[in-house]
Every structure is written in C-alpha cells, then in structure tokens.
Amino acid sequence: MKFFHLSDLHIGLKLMNRDLGEDQIYILKQIVEIAKKEQPQAIVIAGDIYDKAIPSAEAVGIFDRFIAHLTESLPSAVLMMISGNHDSAPRVNCFRSILSKQNLYMVGIPPQNEEEYIEKVTLQDRYGNVNFYLLPFVRPSMVKSIVGVYENGNNLSYHDTIRGLLKRETICREERNVFVSHQFYLPIGEKVEEVDRMDSEIKTVGNIDVVSADVLEEFDYAALGHIHKPMKVGKEQFRYCGTPLACSVSESGQQKGIVMVEIGEKSAGIKTTVLPLKPRRQVRIIKGSLEEVLKKACNDYVTVILTDQTDLDVIDMQERIRIAFPYLLEIRRKVSRKENDRSEFLTEADLDPFELCCAFLKEPDGNQKEILRDIINKVQRGEGK
C-alpha cells in the first residue's frame, strides 16, 4: 500500500503580512499533480489544515478546491485528516459521519466518553489490513473524563494523556498499524532544547506539551504533524513531514516535500520517499553590506540583514532595497552590543514575544516569567478572546 503523509498546510497564513494565498494554491496544485502521477491509495494530513481557528472565506475556498481536485484525480483514494492546535476542532469535525461515507475522514474531536475510541480507518491490500488511527490534537483537559487525573486532582501530563488514550485501544500487532497525530513528540534520549523548532510554531511554557516517542512503538508508522521542519523522531518510520511551504523566515533554505510511504507485508518494514515540492517563491535570508545585498536582487520572499558599520541614508537605502526585492519581508541592521564582556549581535526582529516582553520588564523574576509565558501562550492560542 502506498500513501502520502502531509501536515501543517496552514491555509490562510500570512508571512509578515504577505498574503500567501497564491503561493498556497500553487503548492497545493503541485501536490495534486504529484498524487495524480503516483496514485497513492490514501492521503493523510496530520493537522493544522488552517492557520486560524476561524479561517477566512478565501482560506476555506482554497481548501475546498484542493480536496475537490484530489478526489477528481484519485477517485478511489481515501483522504484522512485530523485537526491541529491551530484548527477549530468542532469545525473540522463537522459532517464527520456523512463525509466518512465518501472516503473523506475529517476528525476534529478526540474520544469524549468511555464508549468512544480513537477513530480507526481500516484499508486493505493483498497483505491484509492496514489500520489508521486518527487522533486529533489533544490537551489533557479535553479528555480527562476518560484518562483521569493525578491523585492531587491535577490534569495528567501530555505524555500520560496520550499514553492513556492509546492504552484504551486494542491494537492488533499481527496487522499493520499507522498512527496519525498532531503533538510534540520527543525522540528517546534527546533533550527538548536539542530539537530545532521553527519561529512559526507555538511553544508552551516549559515545554509542558512534550510526549516521549516511546508511545509510538506499537505502530509500524507514525504520520506526525506540529513540527514544521521535516524530521524523524528517533526512527525512520516515525516522522514529521514538515510544512509543504515555508511558514517563517527560520524555514529558509529547507527542502519541503511530501513523504510517500510504502507498506508491504508486516515483516518487510516501511519504505519512505520524500517527493520534493518547489515553491512559487523561496523564502531567503540575504546578508551583507548594502552594495553586496543589491547585487543579489531576486523575486523571492527576502529578509535582508545589513552588516554596514557606517551610517546609511535610510530613505535611499529602503527604496533601493525594495526595488531590488519586490517581495521584501523585512530589513534588519546587525548591531553590535556588549553585555557581560561578550560581543553579541541582536535586533528586535530576532526576539520572540516572550523575549521582547522580558526586555521591556527589565529582568523579571522566575515567577513573573512563568506568568508571562502562560499569558503569551494563551494569547497565541486565542484562549484569551
């Protein structure tokens, strides 16, 4: 059996106020063309279909046309997708039972009571069943009535929550099983700070959302979403496919693609192939003096970092750069600053919201930092609305 692993479409995303609608249409058409050529039996989208919980009409239209083109090109294929932390779970879950009869499984809400289990879609090939377990993004509070809480009444950790949900399932080890999930899985033995996270990802206070990858061991393949950089979670068959299109400047230079998964008989293992995607415009960082930068004029999305140590005519500089780069994202100046006898290079654009707030508050203490990080996380998730 052959299937495509995609995730984190983030339809409706703006890159520093640049509308990426046309770029997303371009890359989604490319996915359809590749699917038409490869003819997978299934396509999996592991969360974050949209960039916002309440997507714009334009974003919904883009997604609708994408699904329509996929079903036209692959009339017998099964499409499976889950909600991510950016999606509205009830919206993704809408018409779930009706759509499933059309080979379109959109699972937005995890099990809500003792009678419900993780959505399982079973497909067949000449070697027997391939079971897809579709678990949308989960917070411990969402499923505490099923998995319980700690003795002190606190919600379980993210790790114990996912482990608890999986323990409820009867997974047949003789059959081939695929887990589709949108969480932050950490490879066994690695530290959180060693994972290269992108600026476009939402991070939690103290990385409380971490789930150890050992919970994936029961599966033949884990199609993961949430991390925007393509990466393996300890093993070849546990993978984040990454975003199909760069969502931030920190993703510049990354080769984006579709993970094509081929599953043979149970004992044969898994074969994965990355099918590269070529964006309409690259996201690039161009660094150097003003004159060096201007020699690299292009039509990509560009962050310019100027290293000139002398003063520049600001108006003239901006005009010249904008002419050279019509899709300019930002201009940064690399400024030297000494602190604790160490020379560092910082700009405001390099700081995330948490760091900017800490700088404004002038060295807040540990408790204040925890409160601040929690507030920022809630604002980014839209919980403060």
Side-chain angles (χ1 to χ4, degrees), residues 206-385:
N207 295 296
I208 59 171
D209 59 341
V210 167
V211 180
S212 174
D214 62 5
V215 302
L216 306 174
E217 292 295 333
E218 289 191 86
F219 296 95
D220 298 279
Y221 185 83
L224 306 176
H226 191 49
I227 303 298
H228 290 181
K229 179 181 179 179
M231 63 176 270
K232 300 168 189 174
V233 187
K235 295 185 177 180
E236 180 73 26
Q237 69 269 30
F238 303 154
R239 301 177 71 117
Y240 286 102
C241 60
T243 57
L245 194 68
C247 294
S248 64
V249 174
S250 62
E251 294 166 61
S252 65
Q254 287 182 12
Q255 176 60 65
K256 302 295 188 177
I258 305 163
V259 177
M260 183 171 70
V261 184
E262 296 174 87
I263 303 180
E265 57 185 322
K266 180 78 174 181
S267 60
I270 304 288
K271 179 184 176 183
T272 58
T273 307
V274 177
L275 307 176
L277 293 168
K278 185 178 180 181
R280 186 164 169 250
R281 295 187 180 89
Q282 297 282 354
V283 174
R284 300 176 59 194
I285 298 174
I286 296 180
K287 182 178 176 182
S289 67
L290 177 60
E291 296 307 319
E292 290 170 338
V293 163
L294 292 175
K295 292 176 182 177
K296 300 176 182 178
C298 66
N299 286 320
D300 291 326
Y301 292 116
V302 171
T303 283
V304 168
I305 301 178
L306 295 175
T307 59
D308 298 84
Q309 297 302 306
T310 57
D311 290 337
L312 297 170
D313 183 325
V314 175
I315 296 177
D316 177 64
M317 171 196 73
Q318 290 183 344
E319 181 64 21
R320 293 173 69 189
I321 291 175
R322 292 185 189 280
I323 291 172
F325 305 103
Y327 295 94
L328 179 71
L329 296 174
E330 60 178 340
I331 303 171
R332 300 184 188 180
R333 290 295 302 274
K334 197 170 186 181
V335 180
S336 178
R337 184 180 79 181
K338 285 191 176 181
E339 186 176 304
N340 298 329
D341 297 325
R342 284 169 42 191
S343 182
E344 298 182 352
F345 295 89
L346 298 170
T347 71
E348 276 200 358
D350 291 319
L351 302 177
D352 67 18
F354 175 74
E355 291 170 327
L356 284 170
C357 289
C358 285
F360 176 77
L361 293 173
K362 306 294 184 186
E363 299 183 3
D365 61 31
N367 185 50
Q368 290 171 328
K369 286 183 178 180
E370 287 296 309
I371 294 171
L372 179 61
R373 177 76 81 178
D374 188 44
I375 292 171
I376 291 171
N377 285 336
K378 286 181 178 178
V379 170
Q380 289 176 323
R381 293 197 300 259
E383 294 179 2
K385 295 180 181 178

